[in-house]
Structures are given as structure tokens and as C-alpha cells.
Amino acid sequence: MSTPPLASGPHGPDALRPLLDTVLGALTTGAAARGGPLPAGGPDAVAARVTDVLGDVLPEHGDPDALRDLTHALAAGAADPADPLCAAHLHCPPLAVATAADLAVSALNPSLDSWDQAPAASALEARVTAALAARIGLADAVVTTGGTEANQLALLLAREAHGANLRLVCSAAAHHSLPRAAWLLGLPDPVVLPAPNGTLDPAALDAALTELTGPLLVAATAGTTDAGLIDPLPEIAARCAAHRVRLHIDAAYGGALALSDRHRALLTGLDAADTVALDLHKLGWQPVATGFLAVADAAGLDALHQRADYLNAGDDTEAGLPDLLGRSTRTTRRPDVLKAAVTLRTLGRTGLADLIDQVLTLARDFADRVEAHPGLELYDRPTLATVLFRPAHASDDAVAAVRRTLLHEGRAVLGRARADGRLWLKATLLNPHTGPDDLAHLLKLAEGHTPA
Ligand SMILES: *Cc1c(COP(=O)(O)O)cnc(C)c1O
């Protein structure tokens, strides 16, 4: 066999073009073979089909059809967020333009651990992170793999500023990655305040901040994962200021509302945070991964400084080569900002805001339909794109069974969430192409499986 072609270099695009045709063809045939939002048959059937296509993972001799066959299998067995009936998680359908930009990243393969591996990509990242931070009223931002890494970094920066006995204070509705980050960083056990209405109660927070001693970090949420609720940010920020306590806001879900004229007021108080987590692979329609941690004090990022002679020797830095190693705790790192920058420029702020406004309107429409339906119960009017609902008078087991039956049959992907002590079905409507008929279909599926 001749030496396989490369993706970049003068012949890269010509080598890629027919392979892309193969990929696009297999995406088409795979989706057709699936014929719905996810593959039918459940985990064992899907795993068997994958094993069937894959054969030997490391065959003695190569198979020229592997790209076609495995891509087909992946598409045939995908949960496709572009299908309107795939509406469980903060799992968005990526924009075609963003995915195309990501292909360029894979072809060029810049790595953001040193300038000599990513000259333009590092300049682009600096501009994009500064602009996004400015948009939410903060000073700077670093790129992360998502909200989990952003939350970890927020706790790390707080620990470096306030010491290793820093204690996290958050609500029971905070994302699980926050207490996990406290565990990972060896911090004391977090103080988890009850969230009876799904949000952090400022009075309970005030009482806790009055009582607790030692350095604290309050983490509020702008867009809870289960119900899409936004904590009362101005009141929380005021309590933190009064007690001189550091504030992190996990806006992984809701932060993109900063782009929408119609909805940005929901984020009032966000700019009072010391750090903010923001994901564009949720309400931003980016392929995974596209996350950010924004900081109010750019100098606070100095805590991430790291010296490795092969990447940022002192004399190289003095001579003007940008020092990138302190922009992340990772080393080799993809320029995930390219797809975000391409999206922001292609759609403009108003184009993205229109998408955000559309999916929030979809959620309201869906909630109206649930409310009007005698066999269904609505948890609450949606704040973001998440709607919790359940068959009326059903047991928790019956609600769980509705979801699993739809998954097993490959008919719909709905999520689940516990609220008010009961189990709810969760629809997260992130697909701006979803129409009224799709919403009606989703309701019919949820209701059709209700045990009599
Ligand atoms: C999704 C989410 C996270 C985790 O983000 P990943 O991108 O999945 O790592 C954190 N916080 C909230 C509120 C989220 O919705």
C-alpha cells in the first residue's frame, strides 16, 4: 500500500475531497437506515450492529471501505439532535457552517499550547475570547471543553485566590460538576443549600453566608440543567458583595441569552460575577466542544501560568512570542474558537439572537399545548428552552417507562428530571427547525404510551 495522503499541505484538499464525498454519502445512507431520531432496539441491538460492521478493530491488513462503513454505522446508530423528536438534553444540532469550519481545524490541526503550532489560531482565539467576555461584561475568557471544565477552572482560580480551605456554596439544583470539581481539587465538602423552587434562595444564602466562616465561593446558575431556571442573580450578587464573597455563575446553558435583545434582561446581574461559565455547544449550535470561562479580573488567570522550556522559554516570550500555556490547564489543544468565530460572523449577533428567540418561543408553544391537554400536566412555564411535563396521575415508574419505551422503539428522545419530589419528562427544544406539527407529534408520543 502506498503512503496514505495527508489532510493539509498542497495536496491535502484534493485528497480530502473524495473522502468527504464518501463521508457525506454515508451520512445520508446512515440517516435513511435509521429512519428516526435514534436507532430502534435498545443498547444490545445497537452494539451488535456496530460490532457487525466493525469486525476486527485492528485487522492485519487495511480495509479501504472502513470510512464509508463506519460512518454509515455511526449515523445509522446516532441520536440525531437535528431530528425534532430528539429533544432530551442540552444536545444541540450543530450548524452546518460551524461543522464545516471544524473540518478546517481538523485538516490544519493547529495546537494552542505554543505560538509556533498555531500562529493565526492563537491570534483568533485571543480576539474571540476578549469579545465574548466583553459581551457579558467581563474582562477576559479562556476556552474550555465545556461547562464541566469551566466550572473546574472557576473553582481552581478561586482556590488560588483564597486558599485551599475554600468552601463551595451552591444550591441543590447546581450542576453536578461543581461539587465534583470541589472533590477533584481537594476542597472541603461543599455546602449545598436546598432549592425548593429549583433556584437558589437569596435568604437561605444570606443565612449561610452569615453563619459560615473561612473563605467561600458561591456558585449560582443561569439555566439549570433540569428545569432551565435562572437563579435570582441580582439578589445573589448583592448578598455576595455584602459578605465580600466570591461569586461564580454557571451560565453554561443560559449565557448565550446575552446575545438576544429580547431575553438578555434575564441575565441581569451576570456581570457582577467573578467568573462565568458559558457553553456554545448548547444554546449556540456549535459542534462539541465549545466552552468558555470568562473572568472579571484578567490578572487572576496568572494563576494558570506554567513554564515548559520547549513551549514558552523565557527568552522566546521576552522576544515577543505569545505565551499560550497559561490559557488552559490542557497542553495540546484544538482551536475550538474557529467554528464559533465563523458562526458569529456568518449569522451576526442578530442572526444568533433570532435562533435563541425561536427556540424559547418553541418551548412556550410546547408548554401551551401541554397546559391545554387534559391528559398531561405541566411543571411550570419555561424560562429557557426546557419544558417539564408528565402524563397526569401517572406514577414515577410509569413516567420513566414512557421515556424508556420511546427510546427502545427509536421513536423519540425525551429526558427526565426530578422536581417537586416527582419524576417529569423533559423536552429541551434546541432545534430551530422544529415546527408545530413536530410539537404535536412529541405530545402524542408521550401521551400515547400512558398506561390506562
Ligand atoms: C451542561 C451543563 C454543564 C456541563 O457542561 P459540559 O459542556 O457538558 O461539560 C454545567 N453546568 C450547566 C448548568 C449545564 O447545563
Side-chain angles (χ1 to χ4, degrees):
M1 192 177 161
S2 58
T3 309
L6 303 176
S8 57
H11 307 298
D14 286 337
L16 270 176
R17 199 165 281 119
L19 297 173
L20 287 182
D21 276 343
T22 300
V23 166
L24 298 177
L27 288 176
T28 306
T29 59
R34 187 183 66 237
L38 83 163
D44 292 345
V46 173
R49 289 198 288 271
V50 168
T51 301
D52 227 32
V53 173
L54 186 57
D56 196 350
V57 174
L58 186 60
E60 205 50 29
H61 302 286
D63 171 6
D65 293 330
L67 178 65
R68 184 196 65 199
D69 294 347
L70 289 179
T71 304
H72 174 97
L74 197 71
D80 185 355
D83 189 300
L85 302 181
C86 183
H89 300 282
L90 289 162
H91 174 206
C92 71
L95 294 169
V97 75
T99 303
D102 220 19
L103 173 71
V105 167
S106 286
L108 293 166
N109 210 23
S111 182
L112 287 159
D113 43 336
S114 64
W115 185 84
D116 58 4
Q117 299 175 85
S122 58
L124 182 72
E125 184 178 88
R127 292 285 310 275
V128 174
T129 49
L132 283 174
R135 184 74 205 172
I136 58 171
L138 270 69
D140 197 2
V142 292
V143 176
T144 70
T145 50
T148 301
E149 188 190 349
N151 285 338
Q152 267 172 26
L153 277 178
L155 264 70
L156 175 63
L157 295 178
R159 186 195 71 183
E160 292 305 292
H162 298 284
N165 57 343
L166 178 87
R167 191 179 288 272
L168 170 68
V169 181
C170 63
S171 94
H175 194 260
H176 65 83
S177 61
L178 284 160
R180 200 178 207 198
W183 163 77
L184 183 69
L185 293 167
L187 301 178
D189 283 344
V191 175
V192 179
L193 302 173
N197 301 313
T199 54
L200 184 55
D201 171 20
L205 177 65
D206 198 74
L209 297 185
T210 304
E211 188 180 313
L212 292 164
T213 55
L216 301 172
L217 170 68
V218 170
T221 309
T224 58
T225 313
D226 275 354
L229 298 172
I230 298 177
D231 286 341
L233 303 179
E235 288 87 340
I236 290 169
R239 301 308 204 278
C240 289
H243 291 275
R244 298 179 184 284
V245 166
R246 188 175 170 109
L247 173 62
H248 170 61
I249 299 180
D250 178 357
Y253 179 7
L257 262 58
L259 300 171
S260 162
D261 291 326
R262 201 193 299 174
H263 295 292
R264 61 179 307 180
L266 287 169
L267 296 181
T268 301
L270 190 72
D271 58 359
D274 294 284
T275 49
V276 171
L278 164 69
D279 269 356
L280 291 181
H281 59 223
K282 292 174 174 172
L283 272 182
W285 296 279
Q286 298 302 299
V288 173
T290 318
F292 300 89
L293 179 74
V295 297
D297 171 24
L301 290 172
D302 291 349
L304 302 181
H305 176 75
Q306 181 72 217
R307 175 77 65 203
D309 215 50
Y310 75 108
L311 295 172
N312 61 351
D315 55 312
D316 273 352
T317 305
E318 257 165 52
L321 293 187
D323 174 356
L324 307 182
L325 211 47
R327 303 292 294 178
S328 177
T329 53
R330 288 178 280 154
T331 306
T332 300
R333 193 159 66 79
R334 270 170 79 81
D336 287 320
V337 284
L338 177 70
K339 60 199 171 194
V342 166
T343 302
L344 294 168
R345 293 270 310 169
T346 304
L347 277 71
R349 180 188 63 82
T350 54
L352 262 171
D354 285 347
L355 294 182
I356 292 166
D357 296 349
Q358 273 175 50
V359 297
L360 265 58
T361 300
L362 267 179
R364 275 144 194 73
D365 184 2
F366 190 69
D368 290 342
R369 290 162 187 266
V370 171
E371 273 186 316
H373 194 302
L376 295 170
E377 186 182 346
L378 179 71
Y379 170 66
D380 202 357
R381 301 294 310 168
T383 303
L384 297 177
T386 306
V387 182
L388 300 187
F389 67 111
R390 72 203 308 284
H393 316 299
S395 67
D396 285 357
D397 285 350
V399 171
V402 167
R403 186 183 103 87
R404 278 195 297 269
T405 302
L406 291 172
L407 287 180
H408 192 86
E409 293 174 351
R411 280 144 67 89
V413 193
L414 287 169
R416 54 183 280 164
R418 197 157 276 287
D420 272 354
R422 290 190 292 164
L423 189 65
W424 299 81
L425 295 172
K426 176 170 86 166
T428 311
L429 298 162
L430 295 185
N431 183 348
H433 290 273
T434 295
D437 291 351
D438 300 315
L439 298 183
H441 192 175
L442 208 50
L443 279 190
K444 220 169 186 50
L445 288 173
E447 152 217 15
H449 283 86
T450 310

